[in-house]
């Protein structure tokens, strides 16, 4: 496919090869000023709010079937974590952002799990060294010690359990990549909706509530006697790629949701939601190629969106190497 009109000998406009114009980087060592084009909708980040001017996440369309949305609603009513499984690109992580956006629950708290992740880091971190280093400085001035709350930073799970009227959304991403004991470590916290900060629990009984640092720099949270307890259980979305099984005790406390791979009709709806109905005029061959390759291996829906976005911008995807790079398999050796 081509774009960018230029005059021909007959005087009629004709599209020039997009390869002459769309390349920002040419690999020839020449330095030149370039104007960056607008990013795809799903790669745009914070934008200023029209009323307050504060930065808010860029809205992203999310489509889900009625059966799947009923499972989400069941988890919301039951105040249970939602364990979301499915192939890469089915929208597991995006579901958390869609819920937060539709219900007006603010920015998603994100805990990306890896093999070194611990429950402790998700709850809070205590900078004991920093407190020890700075403790002597105020004594030299007026004899007072710095507030211990300045050195306690709540993690994503800790922030989710702060006492508030409306719950926050917590995304526990790829829990199956964590240590085998991590799901069991979460059981008590999920059941009780609270945890204890020992450094604060050891303070005198008559000590005033300590304000600890949260994900909002200007809004510390008061903690009394070291106990952090939620008023409303957070909306917990746990994703898994199925790399290993979870213990039955953990599964019993979750609502299960398996997101199916979108069929052709749903893929067309997704393209239209992100790129507009006009993008469907250029999607047939890309969609056919995508479905063929997805049947043979792993492909994610956003790879189709990438291909359609480039095609819509006038970039020739008919050539093999570029299309292969965009619709590459996600499984196997690289």
């Amino acid at each position: 496919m081509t774009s960018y009109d230029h005059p021909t000998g007959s005087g009629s406009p004709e599209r020039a090869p997009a390869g002459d114009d769309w390349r920002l980087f040419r690999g020839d060592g020449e330095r030149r000023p370039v104007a960056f084009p607008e990013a795809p909708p799903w790669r745009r980040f914070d934008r200023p709010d029209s009323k307050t001017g504060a930065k808010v996440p860029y809205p992203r369309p999310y489509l889900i079937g009625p059966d799947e949305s009923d499972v989400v609603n069941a988890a919301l009513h039951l105040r249970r974590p939602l364990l979301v499984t499915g192939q890469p690109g089915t929208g597991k992580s995006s579901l958390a952002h869609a819920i937060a956006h539709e219900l007006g629950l603010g920015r998603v708290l994100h805990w990306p799990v890896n093999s070194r992740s611990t429950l402790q880091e998700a709850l809070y971190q205590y900078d004991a060294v920093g407190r020890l280093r700075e403790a002597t400085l105020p004594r030299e001035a007026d004899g007072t010690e710095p507030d211990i709350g300045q050195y306690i930073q709540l993690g994503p799970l800790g922030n989710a359990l702060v006492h508030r009227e409306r719950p926050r959304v917590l995304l526990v991403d790829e829990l199956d990549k964590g240590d085998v004991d991590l799901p069991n470590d979460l059981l008590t916290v999920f059941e009780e909706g609270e945890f204890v900060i020992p450094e604060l629990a050891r303070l005198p009984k008559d000590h005033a509530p300590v304000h600890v640092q949260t994900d909002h720099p200007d809004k510390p949270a008061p903690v009394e006697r070291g106990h952090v307890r939620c008023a409303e259980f957070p909306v917990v979305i746990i994703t898994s790629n199925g790399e290993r099984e979870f213990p039955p005790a953990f599964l019993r406390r979750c609502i299960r949701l398996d997101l199916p791979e979108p069929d052709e009709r749903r893929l067309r709806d997704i393209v239209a939601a992100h790129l507009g109905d006009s993008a469907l005029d250029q999607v047939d061959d890309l969609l056919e190629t995508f479905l063929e390759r997805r049947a043979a291996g792993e492909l994610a829906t956003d790879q189709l969106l990438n291909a359609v976005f480039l095609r819509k911008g006038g970039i020739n995807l008919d050539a093999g190497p570029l299309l292969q790079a965009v619709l590459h398999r996600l499984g196997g050796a690289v």
Side-chain angles (χ1 to χ4, degrees):
M1 181 164 178
T2 55
S3 68
Y4 302 103
D5 295 342
H6 72 97
T8 65
S10 61
S12 60
E14 181 178 307
R15 292 195 180 271
D20 291 342
D21 299 277
W22 75 282
R23 292 185 175 91
L24 306 178
F25 170 74
R26 297 178 182 268
D28 56 8
E30 293 292 330
R31 190 171 183 176
R32 58 179 65 84
V34 297
F36 274 78
E38 190 174 40
W42 53 92
R43 293 298 298 165
R44 300 171 194 168
F45 300 98
D46 290 348
R47 62 183 178 86
D49 184 84
S50 58
K51 295 181 180 179
T52 65
K55 291 183 178 180
V56 296
Y58 193 89
R60 300 173 185 176
Y62 188 84
L63 301 181
I64 190 173
D67 292 339
E68 290 77 28
S69 65
D70 284 347
V71 176
V72 173
N73 282 296
L76 295 175
H77 281 277
L78 295 172
R79 306 302 201 272
R80 288 292 188 182
L82 184 67
L83 176 59
V84 187
T85 57
Q87 293 296 321
T90 51
K92 298 187 296 294
S93 300
S94 299
L95 177 59
H97 296 274
I99 294 173
H101 172 70
E102 285 196 20
L103 302 185
L105 299 179
R107 185 182 294 275
V108 172
L109 297 165
H110 186 202
W111 180 21
V113 176
N114 57 51
S115 59
R116 299 178 300 277
S117 296
T118 63
L119 176 61
Q120 169 69 43
E121 71 177 31
L123 292 174
Y124 76 98
Q125 292 182 348
Y126 173 50
D127 184 8
V129 175
R131 187 186 184 212
L132 180 64
R133 182 179 60 248
E134 298 183 19
T136 58
L137 300 180
R139 289 196 181 112
E140 297 175 359
D142 56 12
T144 61
E145 293 187 16
D147 185 6
I148 187 175
Q150 299 178 26
Y151 305 97
I152 295 178
Q153 176 70 52
L154 295 182
L157 179 54
N159 275 288
L161 294 173
V162 167
H163 190 283
R164 56 174 62 88
E165 293 183 2
R166 287 175 62 78
R168 293 286 297 274
V169 177
L170 170 66
L171 172 60
V172 183
D173 214 3
E174 299 187 333
L175 181 61
D176 52 326
K177 289 186 176 180
D179 183 82
V180 66
D181 291 326
L182 186 56
N184 284 327
D185 293 340
L186 290 169
L187 288 181
T188 300
V189 177
F190 283 162
E191 281 296 287
E192 303 297 332
E194 68 176 351
F195 69 98
V196 176
I197 302 177
E199 291 83 358
L200 302 184
R202 290 193 290 263
L203 295 175
K205 294 183 178 180
D206 58 349
H207 196 285
V210 175
H211 287 75
V212 300
Q213 307 306 303
T214 68
D215 63 317
H216 195 301
D218 300 325
K219 294 183 179 180
V223 177
E224 188 172 353
R225 301 294 304 279
H227 286 261
V228 178
R229 183 178 178 86
C230 65
E232 284 286 343
F233 188 74
V235 179
V236 180
I237 309 299
I238 304 171
T239 71
S240 170
N241 290 320
E243 294 186 6
R244 64 176 174 83
E245 296 182 355
F246 295 117
F250 176 79
L251 294 176
R252 181 172 63 84
R253 291 165 170 82
C254 297
I255 303 297
R256 299 283 301 274
L257 172 63
D258 185 59
L259 292 179
E261 290 184 318
D263 57 18
E264 180 177 347
R265 180 177 179 181
R266 178 58 58 82
L267 288 171
R268 291 182 181 273
D269 291 341
I270 292 173
V271 169
H274 284 86
L275 297 173
D277 292 336
S278 61
L280 296 176
D281 298 335
Q282 311 172 55
V283 77
D284 288 349
D285 62 319
L286 293 177
L287 184 57
E288 180 180 357
T289 301
F290 176 84
L291 290 172
E292 289 176 354
R293 295 189 179 185
R294 190 178 72 175
E298 297 177 352
L299 286 180
T301 303
D302 57 354
Q303 291 176 278
L304 174 63
L305 291 173
N306 291 339
V308 177
F309 179 80
L310 293 176
R311 167 73 62 79
K312 189 178 180 182
I315 298 170
N316 184 6
L317 283 178
D318 297 333
L322 183 55
L323 183 61
Q324 180 67 29
V326 176
L327 297 183
H328 63 86
R329 289 187 58 184
L330 303 182
V334 177

